Amino acid sequence: MLLRIDHVGIACHNLEEKIEFYESTFGLVVVSREVNEEQGVREAMLHVADGDSGASYIQLLEPLHPDSAVGKYLSKRGEGVHHIGYGVPDVAKAMADIGAKGVRLIDERPRHGSMGASIAFLHPKDVGGVLTELVETSRH
Ligand code: V0V
Ligand code: CO
């Protein structure tokens, strides 16, 4: 059901500063920057690796406003790992399969994600404290 780790989402206060840190420390390259109003984030994807089932990234997330998902997370917990995004072949099917196991879906239908992906979130309280995102990329 899961193809790969598509991305690890990292919450930060200052996107430009964190991009500079990841570029200079790890030599990663930014491949996409977007503002996603629906999700309340300004985000950047930094390419890490390519695999048979697709690429993996670090997603740096800066909140657009304090009462957004990432804004609340930052004020409660500070900067750090915010979510894990798993690549799936079919996000609607993955939502139905995982929802049928009793895991709460935050989204009733897939949303628009980075680089044209369709995404959906699972509630962290049903995944051992890990906010989990399902990602169907637009590139397969
Ligand atoms: C909150 N909690 C988390 C968490 N955020 N636990 C683990 N990881 C996180 N990231 C815990 C929090 O500590 C509370 O536990 C409880 O959940 C309720 O949190 P809250 O602060 O009261 O906030 P809520 O309930 O208003 O919202 C939490 C949820 C929200 C997870 C429902 O953040 C959400 O809908 N997230 C999905 C959307 C999202 O995160 N978008 C930004 C990334 P205690 O203290 O009660 O024990 S956008 C993205 O990734 C894109 C675009 C992409 O990949 O393409
Ligand atoms: Co994400």
Side-chain angles (χ1 to χ4, degrees):
M1 182 191 286
L2 304 180
L3 298 171
R4 67 184 179 285
I5 294 175
D6 181 272
H7 65 271
V8 175
I10 297 175
C12 65
H13 291 291
N14 186 316
L15 184 63
E16 295 311 318
E17 269 179 30
K18 279 297 177 294
I19 288 173
E20 158 63 20
F21 173 83
Y22 274 83
E23 285 176 342
S24 62
T25 306
F26 301 115
L28 296 185
V29 173
V30 174
V31 292
S32 165
R33 286 172 190 254
E34 288 178 38
V35 171
N36 188 321
E37 297 279 355
E38 184 181 39
Q39 298 293 338
V41 294
R42 183 190 318 281
E43 53 93 5
M45 296 293 256
L46 291 83
H47 179 259
V48 177
D50 288 310
D52 291 343
S53 61
S56 62
Y57 305 89
I58 290 294
Q59 181 176 45
L60 300 176
L61 303 155
E62 181 190 293
L64 290 178
H65 31 82
D67 59 347
S68 62
V70 174
K72 285 170 78 172
Y73 184 89
L74 280 172
S75 64
K76 279 193 179 173
R77 303 197 188 193
E79 295 188 315
V81 174
H82 180 258
H83 66 269
I84 295 184
Y86 292 109
V88 295
D90 180 337
V91 71
K93 181 171 190 313
M95 289 170 78
D97 291 349
I98 294 167
K101 295 179 200 285
V103 175
R104 266 173 295 164
L105 308 172
I106 292 174
D107 301 296
E108 286 171 15
R109 57 175 174 79
R111 308 283 172 181
H112 165 72
S114 189
M115 300 189 288
S118 291
I119 63 171
F121 286 90
L122 309 177
H123 203 286
K125 292 292 178 195
D126 290 349
V127 195
V130 180
L131 176 59
T132 302
E133 178 184 345
L134 306 171
V135 183
E136 178 185 338
T137 62
S138 64
R139 289 164 278 114
H140 60 241

